[in-house]
Amino acid sequence: MARHGGGRGWYGKVVGAALGVTMLATGASVWTAQAGSAGDSAPEAAAPAKPGSAVEPVAATIAHASEKGKRGINITIDDGPDPVWTPRVLDLLREYGVKATFCMVGTQAQAHPDLVKKVVAAGHRLCDHSVSHNTSMDKDSQAYQSRQILDAERMITKASGGVRPMYYRAPGGAFTPHSRKLAASRGMRPLGWNVDTKDFERPGTDAIVATVERELPNGPTLLFHDAGGDRTQTVEALRRLLPRLKEQGYTFGFPVR
């Protein structure tokens, strides 16, 4: 699995903000799982968790497949929410009737709870993307990994108004057996990707579109970003790709759980 570069200037600010958070105890309140998996019917917004209900564990293997089957595509949006770009992505997804999975950084969710709630209200799913997006967290202790996952889960759930993340995506794909098992025990399926659009590097809209068209045979889960800098190219690439892929007979859904 491709690993993103760790030297992102935007994340230096996030890490600084997150240091105090990650010193919290690893114990987290018990939250219920987000509303059930989407079937062939149109997905609906998940209901808030009921206090005191148990979490149902899920498989600890890294998911890539789509609930929509062989012609399904999973749009995944990483690193937000961002006050500039997340609303634009949401508008575009609404325009084309597409549901996506938003992999949120804990400190970003904490800073923009209104956007987390908008994502949920639009029927999209949430994914835990750690507290501080440390792409080398697989080299850190299990205690550190646990804090990154559990604190982000708590932050995202609180920001959403009680809707839990259904997936866990390790920053840069830095999964470990421990992190996968922990996430799965909390009802969050480890989530990979098949197509890295490289949109974070801003290679140009044409290049992003070409990457998707070239690599889509590798699998259905596409990786885009709604934070970390100017995402104009991402928005424009999605504007081209969503109707084009629909015309080709693909349907948009969520990753398997």
Side-chain angles (χ1 to χ4, degrees), residues 74-111:
N74 306 320
I75 300 293
T76 64
I77 313 289
D78 281 23
D79 300 355
D82 178 271
V84 174
W85 300 105
T86 301
R88 298 186 189 185
V89 171
L90 285 172
D91 287 346
L92 193 59
L93 294 172
R94 181 174 62 252
E95 179 181 349
Y96 291 104
V98 171
K99 302 303 180 186
T101 301
F102 284 77
C103 300
M104 296 186 174
V105 174
T107 50
Q108 290 297 106
Q110 186 177 59

Side-chain angles (χ1 to χ4, degrees), residues 1 3 58-62 128-130 134 136-150 153 167-191:
M1 184 177 297
R3 184 181 295 264
V58 293
T61 53
I62 299 173
D128 180 332
H129 202 33
S130 81
N134 178 359
S136 299
M137 63 181 288
D138 55 332
K139 297 179 175 61
D140 286 293
S141 68
Q142 290 186 358
Y144 173 84
Q145 295 174 41
S146 296
R147 288 194 298 270
Q148 285 283 315
I149 295 168
L150 297 178
E153 178 195 9
Y167 307 91
Y168 166 67
R169 173 173 277 167
F175 288 103
T176 66
H178 171 74
S179 68
R180 290 191 292 105
K181 182 177 180 180
L182 176 63
S185 74
R186 300 291 304 159
M188 298 184 290
R189 180 75 184 267
L191 177 59

Side-chain angles (χ1 to χ4, degrees), residues 26-87:
T26 59
S29 299
V30 176
W31 306 90
T32 55
Q34 191 173 351
S37 300
D40 293 333
S41 58
E44 298 179 353
K50 296 179 181 178
S53 298
V55 173
E56 293 187 11
V58 293
T61 53
I62 299 173
H64 295 90
S66 174
E67 289 182 348
K68 291 293 186 179
K70 293 182 179 179
R71 298 293 288 178
I73 289 178
N74 306 320
I75 300 293
T76 64
I77 313 289
D78 281 23
D79 300 355
D82 178 271
V84 174
W85 300 105
T86 301

Side-chain angles (χ1 to χ4, degrees), residues 7 35 114 180 248:
D114 56 327
R180 290 191 292 105
Q248 294 173 4

